[in-house]
Amino acid sequence: MHIFNKKQALTQFLKQVKQKQKTIGFVPTMGALHKGHLSLIKKAKAKNNIVVVSIFVNPTQFDNVEDLNQYPKTLVKDLDLLKSVACDVVFTPSVSEIYNTNISAKKFNFDGLEHQMEGKFRDGHFNGVGTIVKALFEIVKPNKAYFGEKDFQQLQIIKKMVKKNNLPVKIKGCAIFREPDGLAMSSRNTRLTEAYRNAAPFIYKTLKKAKKKFGTENATKITAWVTKKFKKHPLLELEYFTIAEEKTLETAITKEKNKKYRAFIAVFAGKIRLIDNIRLK
Ligand code: PAF
């Protein structure tokens, strides 16, 4: 496994890979890797000659300094995990290697996708995501890049960015990987206390019930039901629940036959913010 922390050394290496007509699959991460990340890497390995994983905790996508400082950093363990799935190349740049001295995000227009859900609660988050993902694409020049559907809004925004900028990369969305009790895998789960960890599967249980209700009840009614359920919960605090159309991410008022919908949720388990979603139709 080749490990690089400088852009120039990585691009030189990847240039040779490209010259041999080999394809590059790319999995961008912020480290603290778990089985969900490994499943993306396995998918990338199956469809490309070389897999590049980046580990970079991107400061410009955090709207909260405490969250950035507390973000788990487990590089030694991450590298062991990456070796175990035969990852080919790891890129672990420093903040100055990526941003030089100007640690700020560029402004993007994602045709309104950025104003829904996470965009309402995490100021500037998607400008930060767009900035880093575009920068990494320019460095790695992958044929395909893999993102988990847990961050479904992020996935749609990256697809939009690729389309609007004609970037030569195919974006692949991969199904959410869950713990046996249903909790969506996330690097943030390791920061949950035992009580919050035990409570957290309630999120997916509620999503599954909402999915069942979607067959017979309208989105407004289901949203009210979920809100009430969380109001009664002793530990978990609902930030938002919304049923939205997959393409526009706009809240669904009525159901239309040829459209696909998902239920999206963000919940505070103490100070830890967890998100999840489920396909409805
Ligand atoms: O999903 C993540 O881990 C991050 O948002 C990403 C895509 C690696 C960009 O920093």
Side-chain angles (χ1 to χ4, degrees):
M1 191 168 78
H2 302 268
I3 304 171
F4 296 94
N5 49 33
K6 297 284 178 213
K7 286 185 276 193
Q8 216 199 347
L10 174 69
T11 48
Q12 240 165 17
F13 178 86
L14 293 176
K15 211 171 160 189
Q16 288 167 13
V17 169
K18 286 261 179 186
Q19 271 165 4
K20 289 179 195 151
Q21 311 297 326
K22 290 190 172 167
T23 56
I24 300 172
F26 179 41
V27 183
T29 81
M30 298 208 295
L33 303 180
H34 50 69
K35 283 184 192 153
H37 292 113
L38 301 186
S39 79
L40 299 184
I41 296 163
K42 284 178 194 159
K43 284 210 170 88
K45 278 214 72 103
K47 298 283 179 191
N48 302 273
N49 300 121
I50 289 267
V51 172
V52 179
V53 173
S54 63
I55 297 180
F56 180 67
V57 181
N58 173 37
T60 64
Q61 71 185 75
F62 286 81
D63 58 329
N64 175 328
V65 184
E66 199 190 332
D67 193 25
L68 170 62
N69 293 337
Q70 301 278 323
Y71 202 84
K73 289 171 193 78
T74 56
L75 186 60
V76 174
K77 193 175 150 224
D78 289 349
L79 294 177
D80 281 346
L81 282 173
L82 290 174
K83 270 187 207 147
S84 76
V85 289
C87 171
D88 303 288
V89 176
V90 190
F91 182 43
T92 58
S94 63
V95 172
S96 61
E97 183 67 10
I98 294 291
Y99 286 102
N100 217 327
T101 51
N102 180 19
I103 307 174
S104 64
K106 297 201 172 81
K107 283 218 160 66
F108 288 84
N109 175 352
F110 299 114
D111 292 345
L113 293 178
E114 69 274 35
H115 303 311
Q116 307 295 335
M117 300 179 296
E118 293 295 287
K120 289 184 186 150
F121 296 93
R122 301 186 70 190
D123 195 28
H125 171 65
F126 289 117
N127 280 329
V129 170
T131 302
I132 186 60
V133 173
K134 192 157 180 282
L136 290 170
F137 283 174
E138 278 157 12
I139 297 165
V140 177
K141 296 188 173 55
N143 299 83
K144 295 189 179 107
Y146 296 77
F147 295 85
E149 285 185 347
K150 185 174 77 66
D151 297 290
F152 192 82
Q153 186 172 11
Q154 168 175 280
L155 171 66
Q156 297 298 66
I157 277 177
I158 290 166
K159 281 184 181 165
K160 177 72 79 181
M161 180 180 79
V162 164
K163 200 169 173 196
K164 285 186 91 163
N165 293 279
N166 282 319
L167 303 180
V169 52
K170 276 207 174 92
I171 302 302
K172 300 283 174 189
C174 304
I176 299 175
F177 226 73
R178 297 187 180 279
E179 299 289 352
D181 59 14
L183 177 63
M185 286 196 186
S186 161
S187 305
R188 289 192 163 85
N189 292 353
T190 56
R191 291 180 55 209
L192 294 169
T193 63
E194 199 183 337
Y196 285 118
R197 175 63 190 83
N198 290 337
F202 182 77
I203 299 168
Y204 184 51
K205 274 191 196 133
T206 308
L207 283 181
K208 281 197 294 188
K209 284 187 186 155
K211 182 181 170 116
K212 243 189 183 166
K213 285 178 179 287
F214 193 67
T216 53
E217 291 175 30
N218 69 36
T220 313
K221 206 168 164 203
I222 298 169
T223 307
W225 176 81
V226 171
T227 308
K228 203 166 146 199
K229 279 274 172 201
F230 275 91
K231 274 217 171 103
K232 281 195 208 146
H233 198 285
L235 287 177
L236 303 176
E237 196 191 317
L238 182 68
E239 185 169 54
Y240 68 76
F241 170 87
T242 184
I243 291 178
E245 199 253 318
E246 281 195 356
K247 262 201 179 144
T248 61
L249 301 179
E250 279 169 13
T251 298
I253 314 283
T254 52
K255 280 184 240 176
E256 286 177 43
K257 263 200 174 154
N258 51 352
K259 289 192 173 163
K260 289 177 182 159
Y261 298 94
R262 260 176 204 255
F264 297 86
I265 195 164
V267 170
F268 276 99
K271 284 191 169 176
I272 313 302
R273 189 172 180 277
L274 302 171
I275 60 169
D276 201 348
N277 68 78
I278 194 166
R279 154 81 59 93
L280 299 175
K281 195 183 136 194

